[in-house]
Amino acid sequence: MIHSLFLINHSGDIFLEKHWKSVIGRSVCDYFFEAKEKAVDPENVPPVLQTPHHYLISIYRGKLFFLSVIQTEVPPLFVIEFLHRVADTFQDYFGECSEGVIKDNLVTVYELLEEMLDNGFPLATESNVLKEMIRPPTILRSVVNTLTGGSNIGDTLPTGQLSNIPWRRAGVKYTNNEAYFDVIEEIDAILDKSGTTVFAEIQGVIEACVRLTGMPDLTLSFMNPRLLDDVSFHPCVRFKRWEAERVLSFIPPDGNFTLMSYHVSSQNLVAIPVYVKQNISFFETGSCGRLDITVGPKQTMGKTVEGLMVTVHMPKAVLSVNLTATQGNYTYDLTTKVLVWDIGKLNLQKLPNLRGSLSMQVGAPRPEENPSLNIDLKIQQLAISGLKVSRLDMYGEKYKPFKGVKYLTKAGKFQEFLHILTL
C-alpha cells in the first residue's frame, strides 16, 4: 500500500526517507513542492495529489510534512490516519515531534517505522505494543547500548500483540491509580463584515491519561450526548453500547491516548465567545488611512478569555502603521503585511482597543478587497458546545481511582472580514 515516506521540514528540505518496497526517487516530491508553493499557508496544501504514476498523501504536524507515496488506489483517510499515528508515536516516544528530535533519534525512528508498517501495510500502531518491542530512548540506555553494542529492541513478543485487547499490555501495576480526561473543543467560524455568523462548527476531542492497575473496564457518561455528530472512537470503545445508550464503555490503553473526536455542525449550537468591532478606512486624497478595532466578550458563560490574539492581513498597499493599543502590544511585518495584536487576558472592565493611522504607497489605488481578521483565544474550564461529563464508573477492579475532567475551548480557524470605507 504505502511504498515510501518522506519527512519534509518547513523550508522544503527532505531530512528523512523510508522505503518499504522499491526505492522511489526524491524527484516524486517535486509535485508536492509545486502545490506547496501555490498554497498560502502550509495547512492549505492539498492532502491528496495525483501524479502520472503515484498518489501523494500528506499531513502537516509540528511544522513538518509527512508525505507518503502510493502506487495503487487506497482510501485516503486510511493513509492520513496512519500518518497521524506515526506523528503521535514520535510525540509519545520523544516528547515532541520536531526535526531536531527526529534527527537525534534516527535509529529509534527507523526501528519504529519498520514495526509500524510491514511491506507497506500497517502492523503495530498501538503505543504500548511498540514500547514493549522498542524501548523508548533514555540517556542511561543509550550509554549502555553504546558500551555493550546492544539495541532498544525487546527480546520477546509483546503480550498484547496476540490478544483481543492489543492496546493494553498485561500485568500493569501502579501505586497511584488515576484517570483524567481533557475535553478540548476548537471553534471554526467565519463572520461577515457586519459580524453575522456565516459558518460555524466545533471540532472536539477527548484526550485521556489513564494509569490504572490490572484490567479495568470503564464507563463514561455524558449529560447531553445527543448534540454530538460525526463521532470517531479509539478502537477500545464498544460501538454498539454507544449506539444503544450513548455511553462510552471501554477497557482503556495504558497511558495517554485520544478516546474520541466529535463534530458539532448545528450552527445554532455554536456559541461565538467574542465579538469584534472593526473599522478600516482610506482617504480619497493623500496616502493614509485609519484602523480601529475593539474586542469584547459575547458568550463566555462567565469564564475568562485568555491568550487572546488578533491577526489582520492588511492590504498590500499599506507600508506602515502607527497604532496605539490600550491593552497588550502589536507587531507589523512589512514583508507579509500582517498585523499581530497580542492582547492576552480579556479585561471586562475596559475593553481592549487598537486604533491609529495607516501609511499607504503614494499614488496606489484604494484597496478593494476586504482584508481578513483571525482570532486566537483560549477559555479554561468551558466546553463551548455545552458537552459535560456526568460520571465515570469502573468495573473489574476493587480499588478506587483518582478521577478528574478538565474542559478547554480554543479558536481553530476563526475568521472575520473587515469592511473598507473610503472617506
Side-chain angles (χ1 to χ4, degrees), residues 227-247:
L227 59 85
L228 302 180
D229 301 328
D230 195 15
V231 184
S232 174
F233 298 109
H234 187 279
C236 68
V237 175
R238 300 180 179 97
F239 186 62
K240 287 188 177 179
R241 180 89 183 268
W242 169 262
E243 280 190 316
E245 305 176 34
R246 283 294 190 265
V247 167

Side-chain angles (χ1 to χ4, degrees), residues 8-10 42-43 58-66 84:
I8 304 170
N9 61 21
H10 193 66
E43 293 87 354
S58 64
I59 64 168
Y60 183 69
R61 288 277 299 268
K63 296 184 179 180
L64 299 178
F65 290 99
F66 291 73
H84 279 293

Side-chain angles (χ1 to χ4, degrees), residues 10 12 41 98 114 120 156 172 212 235 257 296 301 304 353 388 396 409:
H10 193 66
D41 298 316
S98 65
E114 198 65 45
T156 58
V172 181
L212 299 175
F257 65 99
M301 287 73 169
T304 303
N353 175 263
K388 286 190 177 180
T409 294

Side-chain angles (χ1 to χ4, degrees), residues 4 33 45 59-60 67 92 96 104 164 182 186 192 239-240 245 286 293 295 341 368 386 396 415:
S4 302
F33 293 138
V45 177
I59 64 168
Y60 183 69
L67 177 66
D92 191 26
E96 62 176 307
D104 291 341
N164 60 350
D182 292 343
E186 284 192 0
D192 64 14
F239 186 62
K240 287 188 177 179
E245 305 176 34
I293 301 175
V295 184
W341 179 23
E368 294 182 359
Q415 191 174 68

Side-chain angles (χ1 to χ4, degrees), residues 306-349:
E306 301 174 343
L308 188 58
M309 183 180 294
V310 177
T311 304
V312 183
H313 298 269
M314 303 294 286
K316 295 180 180 179
V318 177
L319 290 178
S320 62
V321 299
N322 183 16
L323 305 172
T324 301
T326 60
Q327 182 181 340
N329 51 69
Y330 75 91
T331 58
Y332 181 65
D333 192 318
L334 298 175
T335 305
T336 59
K337 308 296 183 184
V338 173
L339 171 68
V340 178
W341 179 23
D342 189 354
I343 302 171
K345 185 181 292 187
L346 183 60
N347 185 1
L348 301 181
Q349 306 300 323

Side-chain angles (χ1 to χ4, degrees), residues 61-365:
R61 288 277 299 268
K63 296 184 179 180
L64 299 178
F65 290 99
F66 291 73
L67 177 66
S68 61
V69 182
I70 319 291
Q71 287 189 333
T72 57
E73 284 196 18
V74 296
L77 290 177
F78 186 73
V79 180
I80 289 172
E81 175 63 23
F82 173 77
L83 295 178
H84 279 293
R85 287 288 184 98
V86 172
D88 291 339
T89 301
F90 292 167
Q91 178 84 28
D92 191 26
Y93 261 72
F94 312 128
E96 62 176 307
C97 183
S98 65
E99 180 182 1
V101 168
I102 291 174
K103 284 182 175 179
D104 291 341
N105 298 276
L106 277 179
V107 174
T108 306
V109 166
Y110 277 108
E111 288 172 347
L112 287 170
L113 292 176
E114 198 65 45
E115 295 296 338
M116 294 184 75
L117 216 63
D118 181 34
N119 198 34
F121 290 89
L123 177 63
T125 58
E126 289 296 333
S127 181
N128 68 298
V129 171
L130 288 168
K131 284 180 178 178
E132 288 191 63
M133 289 193 288
I134 303 167
R135 302 180 191 94
T138 61
I139 296 175
L140 178 61
R141 190 169 292 144
S142 299
V143 173
V144 171
N145 290 344
T146 303
L147 295 175
T148 62
S151 70
N152 291 333
I153 299 177
D155 299 325
T156 58
L157 190 69
T159 54
Q161 181 77 337
L162 300 177
S163 74
N164 60 350
I165 310 175
W167 53 83
R168 187 173 182 84
R169 58 190 174 93
V172 181
K173 290 184 179 180
Y174 286 104
T175 304
N176 295 321
N177 295 283
E178 52 192 20
Y180 299 115
F181 298 88
D182 292 343
V183 181
I184 304 170
E185 295 188 342
E186 284 192 0
I187 307 172
D188 294 337
I190 297 177
L191 310 179
D192 64 14
K193 55 192 178 185
S194 64
T196 305
T197 303
V198 177
F199 167 83
E201 65 178 10
I202 295 171
Q203 307 286 349
V205 65
I206 298 181
E207 300 285 353
C209 177
V210 178
R211 293 183 172 88
L212 299 175
T213 301
M215 196 67 71
D217 198 326
L218 303 182
T219 300
L220 192 69
S221 305
F222 301 98
M223 293 181 63
N224 42 4
R226 298 290 174 182
L227 59 85
L228 302 180
D229 301 328
D230 195 15
V231 184
S232 174
F233 298 109
H234 187 279
C236 68
V237 175
R238 300 180 179 97
F239 186 62
K240 287 188 177 179
R241 180 89 183 268
W242 169 262
E243 280 190 316
E245 305 176 34
R246 283 294 190 265
V247 167
L248 294 182
S249 175
F250 58 98
I251 296 175
D254 182 41
N256 299 310
F257 65 99
T258 301
L259 179 62
M260 66 176 284
S261 58
Y262 58 90
H263 184 151
V264 179
S265 57
S266 180
Q267 197 157 297
N268 58 350
L269 293 175
V270 180
I272 305 299
V274 297
Y275 69 85
V276 178
K277 289 183 178 179
Q278 38 75 19
N279 182 20
I280 181 170
S281 55
F282 298 99
F283 296 99
E284 284 278 8
T285 58
S287 56
C288 60
R290 298 285 300 174
L291 177 70
D292 191 340
I293 301 175
T294 303
V295 184
K298 191 174 182 181
Q299 292 173 293
T300 61
M301 287 73 169
K303 304 294 183 179
T304 303
V305 179
E306 301 174 343
L308 188 58
M309 183 180 294
V310 177
T311 304
V312 183
H313 298 269
M314 303 294 286
K316 295 180 180 179
V318 177
L319 290 178
S320 62
V321 299
N322 183 16
L323 305 172
T324 301
T326 60
Q327 182 181 340
N329 51 69
Y330 75 91
T331 58
Y332 181 65
D333 192 318
L334 298 175
T335 305
T336 59
K337 308 296 183 184
V338 173
L339 171 68
V340 178
W341 179 23
D342 189 354
I343 302 171
K345 185 181 292 187
L346 183 60
N347 185 1
L348 301 181
Q349 306 300 323
K350 184 179 180 182
L351 298 181
N353 175 263
L354 180 70
R355 67 174 63 184
S357 60
L358 311 174
S359 298
M360 306 277 295
Q361 293 178 4
V362 178

